[in-house]
Amino acid sequence: MVAMHSNKGFKLLVLAVFLMQFGGAAGSIGVPILAKKVFQTSFWGLAMLGVIGALVYSLVCFAMGDLSKRANPYKMMLLGTSAYAATFTLAVFATATWHLILVYIFAGGATAFFWPMVEAAMAHGTTGQIQNRRIGIFNVSWSLADALGTAAAGGLYLIWPRLPFVVLIAAMMAVLVITLIAYGLAETEERPPGENTPEKTAPGRPIPQETKLNYARAAWCSNFFAHGVTNVLRSVFAAPAVDVFKMSPLTIGLIVGAFNATRTITFAVLRRSSAWTYRSSVLTGANLLLISGMACVVGAAYFAPADFAVGIVYFAMILSGLGCGIIYYSSIYYSINLSSLVASNTRIHEAFLGAGAATVVLASGGLHSLVSSPLAGRILLRFGLDQFAVSSLAPFILAATAAGLALGVSRRLRK
């Protein structure tokens, strides 16, 4: 693997990550809004959008296998970015929901060639606090871009429903140029003297390999469910946001943006020290925050006055963003520190992430269909519950349950 040791090359990759995620967030949030508002896509259609891209992404990450260990990461990043831009160029001309589903299939495969490789390139050849700082900067970069891109998507949509896709394509063109420059630097520049000497690497406490493996597995499991919750927000949140909470496209973007902004702040805090690592209470607390956030969304619909419901959902996104931020950072940190085969481990981290995103949204769609049945309607009526509201909120009921499963399973894996 070509390593990115120089500060100049590292900064270029950070910029590429920012642009990649900003464009991806604007385009990805633009898709379900377009589908819901223009194509009148059903709940299952929105769920399929959330499932198919994540599933393809996860499968391609798993399928990489030895390729991730041998291939040049920059060439794979260039391939993935090019394919991503070409895919959303076609999305500009989409006229039906199934066109958007095809877009997500190809986009999922394309991004699998970018994210595991850029993570490995950034961390390769570093250890200790230098590695933790780089992971932190990477996380802050993509998460800040996610927050800004998501918040911008609503406004871009109001100008022109296809404008989020155009912004994504422009961002991908910039990523291609930056990646090419970073590739040239990685090929020609030598590692600066003393960048990662033992004196500059935090000694830390020795961690047995078995403990590292247990925590990596626990973090992957937690991230499986946490990213499933994240994907619920990205894909099907538009349905209850419009139908139950009566939100505008701009409000949807701002509320999901609050989730991303909180996660970004969490990354910025965690990168300052690695004292939080390999502590059971940290992952436990993160899962509890995620459960609380999802429960608040459901509670806002049923128990809060209409004037306060949107504010409670906003608060719920803050809780959820904090929990997801800790979980995601833990997953990538433990993956990179598991062994020297960085690209292979980041591939697993991303594969679990994608698989969770697909599974939780698919399960939420199943619960939505179950609750929408005539039998369920009669049962809910006996309890004085509105079937339409319950079915719209089914993804968040399931998301809270998924976070509870993550809490239990990850605790067992850490033993």
Side-chain angles (χ1 to χ4, degrees):
M1 171 182 289
V2 179
M4 175 53 65
H5 296 297
S6 73
N7 285 329
K8 185 185 294 185
F10 173 71
K11 290 176 181 177
L12 282 171
L13 284 188
V14 170
L15 179 58
V17 163
F18 179 90
L19 290 168
M20 183 75 172
Q21 189 62 35
F22 181 88
S28 296
I29 294 297
V31 166
I33 296 176
L34 177 71
K36 178 67 178 177
K37 301 287 283 188
V38 176
F39 302 151
Q40 287 78 49
T41 302
S42 66
F43 182 94
W44 262 113
L46 292 176
M48 185 57 66
L49 287 171
V51 168
I52 195 69
L55 182 61
V56 171
Y57 179 80
S58 180
L59 291 174
V60 174
C61 282
F62 271 122
M64 281 184 183
D66 291 337
L67 178 63
S68 63
K69 305 173 188 177
R70 300 192 311 268
N72 184 298
Y74 297 95
K75 291 180 180 179
M76 293 184 72
M77 288 158 58
L78 289 167
L79 176 62
T81 306
S82 300
Y84 197 47
T87 297
F88 270 88
T89 299
L90 297 176
V92 173
F93 305 100
T95 57
T97 302
W98 71 270
H99 293 162
L100 298 177
I101 292 173
L102 285 178
V103 165
Y104 266 35
I105 290 174
F106 290 105
T111 50
F113 283 83
F114 182 87
W115 290 109
M117 294 298 104
V118 73
E119 291 165 1
M122 284 184 162
H124 188 75
T126 62
T127 56
Q129 270 305 107
I130 290 177
Q131 186 179 79
N132 186 41
R133 285 198 297 269
R134 287 196 168 192
I135 295 171
I137 292 170
F138 162 78
N139 285 336
V140 169
S141 178
W142 74 256
S143 190
L144 178 61
D146 208 21
L148 295 175
T150 301
L156 292 170
Y157 171 88
L158 292 175
I159 297 170
W160 182 42
R162 319 294 171 134
L163 189 55
F165 307 154
V166 176
V167 169
L168 180 146
I169 296 163
M172 295 310 100
M173 295 301 99
V175 170
L176 283 171
V177 173
I178 292 167
T179 304
L180 280 170
I181 297 171
Y183 177 36
L185 288 172
E187 289 286 302
T188 59
E189 289 189 357
E190 295 182 359
R191 177 177 170 180
E195 181 192 292
N196 198 38
T197 60
E199 291 78 15
K200 291 194 175 186
T201 301
R205 63 190 189 280
I207 307 295
Q209 187 60 28
E210 183 180 359
T211 300
K212 288 185 176 182
L213 182 58
N214 289 341
Y215 269 82
R217 288 171 173 169
W220 291 337
C221 169
S222 292
N223 205 29
F224 176 93
F225 291 106
H227 206 72
V229 172
T230 302
N231 205 33
V232 165
L233 297 178
R234 286 176 173 169
S235 57
V236 299
F237 177 66
V242 172
D243 298 333
V244 178
F245 296 107
K246 310 303 180 185
M247 296 180 189
S248 68
L250 183 59
T251 303
I252 294 172
L254 290 174
I255 282 187
V256 179
F259 169 88
N260 294 330
T262 304
R263 185 181 57 196
T264 304
I265 294 170
T266 304
F267 291 157
V269 171
L270 294 179
R271 66 174 287 268
R272 296 179 178 277
S273 171
S274 57
W276 56 271
T277 60
Y278 300 104
R279 299 189 187 280
S280 182
S281 59
V282 174
L283 268 179
T284 298
N287 282 301
L288 287 173
L289 284 168
L290 191 52
I291 294 170
S292 301
M294 293 299 100
C296 280
V297 174
V298 178
Y302 287 110
F303 307 111
D307 293 341
F308 296 98
V310 173
I312 293 173
V313 174
Y314 187 89
F315 175 70
M317 293 302 105
I318 292 174
L319 291 179
S320 303
L322 180 57
C324 284
I326 295 170
I327 291 168
Y328 180 91
Y329 201 115
S330 299
S331 180
I332 191 170
Y333 182 94
Y334 297 143
S335 298
I336 288 172
N337 282 275
L338 185 58
S339 73
S340 59
L341 297 175
V342 179
S344 180
N345 297 330
T346 55
R347 170 183 66 89
I348 297 173
H349 155 80
E350 291 291 334
F352 269 88
L353 179 151
T359 302
V360 174
V361 172
L362 184 62
S364 71
L367 181 60
H368 171 81
S369 294
L370 181 65
V371 174
S372 300
S373 68
L375 176 61
R378 290 193 292 270
I379 295 172
L380 291 171
L381 186 61
R382 290 184 181 180
F383 290 94
L385 297 174
D386 179 73
Q387 184 179 26
F388 180 73
V390 174
S391 61
S392 295
L393 291 164
F396 297 95
I397 297 171
L398 185 96
T401 305
L405 285 172
L407 176 63
V409 175
S410 66
R411 284 178 66 85
R412 287 187 62 85
L413 289 172
R414 293 196 301 273
K415 290 181 179 179

